[in-house]
Structure formats: C-alpha cells, structure tokens
Amino acid sequence: MKLWGGRFKREADAEFARFNSSFAFDRRLIEADIEGSLAHAEALAAAGILSEEEARRIAWGLNEIRRQARADKSYLDSREAEDVHSFVEAQLIAAIGEPGYKLHTGRSRNDQVATDLRFFLRSEIDATDELIRDVQRALIELAEANPDCVIPGYTHLQRAQPILFAHYVLAYFEMLKRDRERFTQVRARVNQLPLGAGALAGTGFPLDRESIARRLGFEGVCENSVDAVSDRDFVVEFIGAAAIAMMHLSRLAEDLIVYSTAEFGFIELSDAVSTGSSLMPQKKNPDSLELIRGKSGRVFGHHAAMLATMKGLPLAYNKDMQEDKEALFDTIDTLAGSLKVMATVLRNVKVDCEKTRASASSGYSNATDLADYLVRKGMEFRKAHELVGQLVMHAIEHGKALEEIDLEKYATFSELFADDLYDSIKLESSLSSKQAAGGTSPESVRQAMSKARSEIDRG
Ligand code: ARG
C-alpha cells in the first residue's frame, strides 16, 4: 500500500521505486515507530479524534505487529514498502481495517521519522555508554594488574621521560570519560519530541504534545515545527562524538600495535585476539587492533557525509535526509564493535615490565631530572638545560649513561654537582619527584587509580 496515490495517474518507475525505498535499512526503527504510533493514537483519542474503541483496536493491531516482528524475521519481508512507516501503517490496516485508516491523522512522516530516530538513538546512546564504561573498566584492570611497571613516556615517539605504565593507561581512561560526557550532552538534545510538528507547519488537531513527550520518555518538545522536521544536527553530533571516541580508540590501538612489535617487546597479545599469516608460519598479527584503527576512518567519513548532505538543504524536510540512517546505523555498529573488541584486547594484554623498565632506564630519559637537580641547587633552568645538553653529548661520545660519569668529570661542568646527583637521576627519584597534581609519582598514580576505580564502580 502506498500512502500517497491520490494525485498520481501512473505508477512509479520500478527502478526509481527501489531507489526511493528505505525499508531495507530503516526497518531497524520498527520498535520505535510502533511506540511512537501507540503514543500518537493515545493523543488522538484524548483529543476526541478517535473513539475509545478505535484507539483500543489500533493499539491491539500495533502490538500485534510488534509481536510478529519479534517472533519472525521473515515477517518484515512479507510486503514491499517504501519505508518502515508505510509498512507499519499498511500492516495495521490489513490487521484491523477501518480504524487503521485514521492513525495518520494530524501526523506526517516528517515528524514521525524524526521522532522515531530520536527515540531509537536515545537508547543506542545508553548502550554506547555501557560499552565505553566497560573499556574503562578493562583499562583500570590493566593498570591495577601492573601497578609498579615503568615505561618510557614518548614525545615524537622518542624516549622522553619515564612514567608509570598505570599512568599511561589512565590517560585513556580520561579520554573515554570525556567521550561519555559528550554522549550524555548529545543525549539531552536528542531527547526532545518532534511529533506534533506535522509536515512542517504544526498539527491542525489539538494534540497534547507535552503528554506525548512524557509518554515516550522525552524531556521536552521541539519548540518550532519547522526546525523539528528539518534538522538532523543531532545525527551529526552523535556521529561527531562517535568519531572522537573512535579517534581515541585508534590511538590506543596504534600504541599497542607498536608496543607489541619485536622491536619494542613491551606487551604481548594473547592468541585470542591475534591472527596468523597464510604464508609466513612464524607470524602473529594484531589484526584486532588494526581493524579498530582502520574502522575509525569509516566513522570520520560518515561525519563528513552527513555534514555534506545537510549543508545545502532548504527548509524544511527534503528526501536527502533519508540518507541519515545508513550513516547513523553504521556508526552505531562500528563504534559498538570496536568498543567490545577493545575491551577484550585489553583483557588479553601481558606487559613485560622488565623490558619496559630497561627501556625507561636508558636513552638519557633522566636528563631532565639532572637539569632539575641543578635548578634545585640554584642554577637558572635555561642554563641548566644547556649544560646538561653538553653533558649528554659528552656521555654519548664516551658510550656512557649519565650515572656512569664520575663526579670529577661532573665537577668540570659545574661546581654545583655533588654526590647526591646520582640519587636524583635514579628512575625511582625521577618518578617520585612528579608529585604535583596529575603527575606520574607513585603516590599520585595510586590515588588516581582508586579514584578511577570508584568512579567506574559507581556508574
Ligand atoms: N523514509 C523517509 C525518511 O527517512 C521518511 C519521511 C518521508 N517523508 C516524506 N515527506 N517523503 O526520511
């Protein structure tokens, strides 16, 4: 059944009809569509447009469609439809006859589809939040399992300063915390009701939009009917937040890929999240992480696609906007899949703390601590930096570490050097000196870990 045959003399071209149909993918909104229709029917009854009996039969029919859709996957293939909204309406009329023809009173597919999408997205955001939280939990578990492990911190992927492994891991915990905040903020803007906006001008029937909103769990109603049916900023925003989350996952993936190489040898991924090579028998590849890194590109693409789709559209509704669904659905699925696999990977990481410690102890990562030592003895930092730079050059030329240079030699660089310099450039001193808030001192990191743990246990 078509919803708009009256003013047409000819059937649509078959190729165009297929091109026009969104039912292959928007059937995913069927539960949301039925919920929305149940609420709309109640509002029509409250306004005296449907009799109690008609409203009751419509509710029965809609519930029946939902039951069948849940019970039988092939039910949704039982009829061709332009979209999920036409499908449900047609099934309703087939099931209950006359009152079914009244359901669409005072409603357009324009306010209907916006309502469905927002209703659907709201619970997807809740599911996303749970999945991010589980990755955060896996991060804390990894930090807690390796509380004393030291790694080299990098800038430019060159050894910079030693940090606790737990401190490094908690950096990602913070990023994911902001991702969750972003989704919560997007959710508040998603959770406004378009229904009652009609095609664009508002509905000509006295529907109580506030009570429809309450019935469907929306926080409020969209204030302007033209805006309600014409914007998809909430889709762009959701994909934007997803893109940022994927960017974070991708960086974590990249780190772990690099750390798992033989050249680094910092971590080992278990067989459960690795694959082999069809040609080279010795290979064990981090495909799980590479796919997460790779899939981030898809989500960035959906974000760009949605902005491009929306940018030139005159108000109000345009069919271009049907393109929102595949971008949104694929974003939801890609992000969910990546989050689940990331949590699993993190639970399958073994850290070689001896290896990371050896690496953190070499490469002159304690040069900054030596400069800080001179500053504490009274030298200006810029001068200390220059002097330690010369010391490092001297050490490199003699194939020595800073701790292997004897005090007499140090004295030729500055009379401020004394025997206590050797303590100050030890790995442990380097770490414990970073006591200011947010730094890598063992005490600060211990506190950060327990704060993170209680945040995650709280919810
Ligand atoms: N399938 C359409 C979409 O996803 C539903 C709205 C159609 N409205 C219209 N006036 N053609 O956007």
Side-chain angles (χ1 to χ4, degrees):
M1 183 192 85
K2 254 206 322 291
L3 302 179
W4 39 262
R7 63 101 61 227
F8 286 78
K9 285 204 186 111
R10 282 182 51 197
E11 280 298 307
D13 169 77
E15 191 61 44
F16 164 62
R18 268 195 297 281
F19 190 66
N20 191 37
S21 171
S22 53
F23 190 45
F25 48 87
D26 71 9
R27 56 181 60 193
R28 194 159 165 177
L29 297 174
I30 191 160
E31 298 260 345
D33 196 71
I34 290 171
E35 276 303 324
S37 287
L38 286 166
H40 184 63
E42 274 179 26
L44 288 172
I49 297 152
L50 292 177
S51 70
E52 284 303 318
E53 172 59 12
E54 286 168 333
R56 209 188 46 69
R57 286 182 59 200
I58 287 175
W60 179 86
L62 290 168
N63 281 313
E64 185 55 22
I65 295 169
R66 177 160 54 194
R67 194 190 59 72
Q68 290 200 47
R70 283 180 186 170
D72 173 15
K73 288 264 168 287
S74 66
Y75 170 66
L76 288 162
D77 300 318
S78 60
R79 204 184 260 269
E80 304 230 318
E82 188 180 319
D83 55 26
V84 67
H85 325 292
S86 329
F87 175 81
V88 172
E89 197 174 327
Q91 292 298 109
L92 182 70
I93 290 165
I96 66 168
E98 210 51 42
Y101 289 106
K102 293 189 174 179
L103 174 63
H104 210 54
T105 311
R107 183 176 75 170
S108 156
R109 276 184 296 162
N110 299 349
D111 57 347
Q112 187 180 0
V113 69
T115 302
D116 290 7
L117 205 56
R118 286 169 181 263
F119 184 90
F120 165 83
L121 183 54
R122 189 178 74 197
S123 57
E124 293 296 332
I125 290 175
D126 295 341
T128 302
D129 184 71
E130 266 310 309
L131 292 175
I132 301 178
R133 187 163 155 229
D134 193 46
V135 176
Q136 286 186 300
R137 199 178 290 119
L139 286 168
I140 298 174
E141 288 164 13
L142 185 59
E144 286 173 347
N146 301 279
D148 306 318
C149 191
V150 186
I151 63 168
Y154 293 91
T155 63
H156 314 269
L157 199 52
Q158 306 285 328
R159 271 173 284 188
Q161 291 183 301
I163 54 175
L164 283 173
F165 176 70
H167 192 55
Y168 157 82
V169 168
L170 287 182
Y172 284 103
F173 183 91
E174 290 298 313
M175 296 177 220
L176 295 182
K177 189 156 99 187
R178 289 193 297 279
D179 287 329
R180 289 177 66 193
E181 278 167 21
R182 256 184 289 276
F183 281 116
T184 304
Q185 289 156 1
V186 173
R187 190 191 194 280
R189 282 184 288 273
V190 166
N191 205 19
Q192 301 290 324
L193 177 80
L195 202 64
L200 82 164
T203 181
F205 296 90
L207 302 179
D208 181 351
R209 297 186 64 210
E210 294 289 345
S211 89
I212 300 174
R214 273 194 302 279
R215 160 83 161 76
L216 291 172
F218 285 98
E219 250 152 65
V221 301
C222 299
E223 297 282 347
N224 178 293
S225 63
V226 178
D227 173 50
V229 296
S230 63
D231 210 348
R232 292 293 181 270
D233 56 352
F234 65 97
V235 174
V236 178
E237 254 196 296
F238 173 83
I239 301 177
I244 296 175
M246 287 299 296
M247 179 266 288
H248 288 150
L249 294 182
S250 184
R251 293 188 74 176
L252 176 55
E254 168 66 10
D255 272 348
L256 298 178
I257 289 167
V258 170
Y259 293 167
S260 71
T261 59
E263 285 73 11
F264 274 77
F266 288 0
I267 63 166
E268 198 191 329
L269 297 181
S270 88
D271 292 359
V273 291
S274 309
T275 53
S277 157
S278 61
L279 188 146
M280 300 163 283
Q282 87 285 8
K283 291 281 297 222
K284 185 166 148 187
N285 299 324
D287 294 33
S288 48
L289 293 166
E290 291 166 61
L291 276 170
I292 292 170
R293 189 178 58 187
K295 283 176 191 290
S296 64
R298 274 167 93 117
V299 174
F300 304 166
H302 291 319
H303 191 239
M306 268 315 290
L307 286 169
T309 298
M310 296 304 294
K311 81 173 270 280
L313 298 187
L315 295 187
Y317 179 83
N318 300 269
K319 195 60 171 269
D320 314 47
M321 285 149 65
Q322 180 164 286
E323 290 293 306
D324 60 1
K325 285 168 208 67
E326 286 157 295
L328 180 64
F329 297 160
D330 189 65
T331 297
I332 291 168
D333 295 341
T334 303
L335 179 59
S338 303
L339 287 165
K340 285 183 203 163
V341 170
M342 184 56 94
T344 305
V345 170
L346 290 168
R347 294 186 169 110
N348 280 277
V349 166
K350 217 173 82 220
V351 189
D352 184 343
C353 291
E354 263 168 49
K355 193 91 188 261
T356 60
R357 191 184 170 88
S359 182
S361 309
S362 52
Y364 304 99
S365 318
N366 50 1
T368 312
D369 299 302
L370 192 58
D372 288 351
Y373 169 88
L374 288 172
V375 169
R376 288 191 196 97
K377 297 273 169 165
M379 191 180 285
E380 299 83 348
F381 177 75
R382 186 53 53 216
K383 292 185 182 159
H385 184 287
E386 174 70 19
L387 191 146
V388 174
Q390 287 163 6
L391 261 162
V392 168
M393 190 157 72
H394 168 88
I396 291 172
E397 277 162 13
H398 292 80
K400 286 183 171 172
L402 289 174
E403 42 276 64
E404 290 165 350
I405 298 171
D406 57 34
L407 192 55
E408 268 148 55
K409 191 75 221 170
Y410 271 112
T412 67
F413 282 82
S414 164
E415 76 259 19
L416 293 174
F417 282 122
D419 216 22
D420 57 350
L421 83 88
Y422 296 100
D423 267 346
S424 79
I425 58 176
K426 283 192 181 130
L427 199 57
E428 266 61 36
S429 324
S430 172
L431 292 171
S432 61
S433 69
K434 309 298 185 307
Q435 274 166 19
T440 194
S441 82
E443 180 52 25
S444 312
V445 174
R446 211 184 43 72
Q447 281 172 21
M449 272 201 284
S450 78
K451 183 162 176 263
R453 170 55 79 183
S454 64
E455 270 174 30
I456 212 71
D457 289 345
R458 216 181 313 127

